[in-house]
Amino acid sequence: MQDTLTEDSFLVRGAKGLYMEVTDTSTGQVWMCSSAVSHGDYDALVVEAPLVKSGAGEASMDGAAFRHSPGAPTSPVRERVIGEHHFINVARADSVTPPTKPNGPMDVVVDKAHTLGFEEGRTLRILTLPDGDYVEVIGEPDNDASRVLPEGAELKHVTLTDPLIVELPTPTRAFFWGFGGGELRSFQGPVTL
């Protein structure tokens, strides 16, 4: 995956794990801790306004990188320290559509430049919609069989025979389950697999 990135990209080391995010309410910019943390780290994180803690989720991919921060395609990924943790500026929500069905997903259009890597031999979950495929980004598949899907969606399982690198589009459409309680799960795209 590193061979596909520019020198301004930020390669997240040890992608699998729990990652926490904070949002700057004055700009909408989302900052992600650049290394895996524990639930205790997230609980203990103290932020000051205009920052708010916006969640922590298990990364589904085996490798990840950010090509640039939102709105800055020709600059290096923005970095900062928040509460003794190193954070990178990874996203900005451009629009949020609440769930249209009980227990359904939030539909969020996100300005981000995210590259995902998946190892050979693993089973990947894909949410397929008429506009393309959405790759699992956050969460585990434990409850996918009973998950309330967007209208017209189908959930597929694909076992990879080769490593797979996916470059999410800018902007990315992201479906989120679990905001406001429950385990966070997200599929993002669309891409063509």
Side-chain angles (χ1 to χ4, degrees):
M1 183 168 67
Q2 193 164 359
D3 294 341
T4 68
L5 304 173
T6 67
E7 65 181 42
D8 289 338
S9 301
F10 189 97
L11 183 63
V12 178
R13 301 290 176 192
K16 276 204 167 275
L18 182 74
Y19 289 82
M20 61 182 170
E21 294 183 343
V22 300
T23 301
D24 184 325
T25 59
S26 67
T27 63
Q29 298 288 348
V30 176
W31 294 81
M32 182 189 85
C33 190
S34 63
S35 58
V37 298
S38 68
H39 287 285
D41 291 328
Y42 181 72
D43 293 342
L45 181 67
V46 175
V47 298
E48 295 180 13
L51 297 178
V52 296
K53 292 166 48 170
S54 47
E58 292 285 338
S60 298
M61 72 291 296
D62 299 303
F66 291 88
R67 301 181 301 278
H68 58 80
S69 290
T74 60
S75 300
V77 172
R78 293 185 280 266
E79 304 178 51
R80 70 188 282 190
V81 174
I82 303 170
E84 300 180 10
H85 295 277
H86 180 259
F87 281 75
I88 54 176
N89 181 210
V90 297
R92 184 188 70 238
D94 287 339
S95 69
V96 177
T97 303
T100 57
K101 303 176 184 178
N103 300 316
M106 228 176 6
D107 184 349
V108 183
V109 176
V110 183
D111 180 359
K112 69 180 198 169
H114 197 177
T115 300
L116 313 173
F118 298 94
E119 294 179 0
E120 170 185 349
R122 69 166 291 176
T123 299
L124 185 62
R125 278 69 180 178
I126 306 294
L127 183 71
T128 300
L129 284 158
D131 65 341
D133 297 319
Y134 291 76
V135 180
E136 63 180 330
V137 176
I138 300 170
E140 297 293 331
D142 302 343
N143 300 316
D144 282 352
S146 61
R147 196 164 304 284
V148 176
L149 302 179
E151 195 66 41
E154 179 182 359
L155 194 57
K156 297 179 181 179
H157 299 162
V158 177
T159 300
L160 300 177
T161 57
D162 294 299
L164 176 66
I165 295 174
V166 176
E167 190 170 294
L168 292 176
T170 303
T172 294
R173 185 177 182 196
F175 293 98
F176 286 98
W177 290 261
F179 271 114
E183 182 183 325
L184 194 61
R185 185 77 162 131
S186 181
F187 290 84
Q188 301 181 17
V191 295
T192 302
L193 299 179

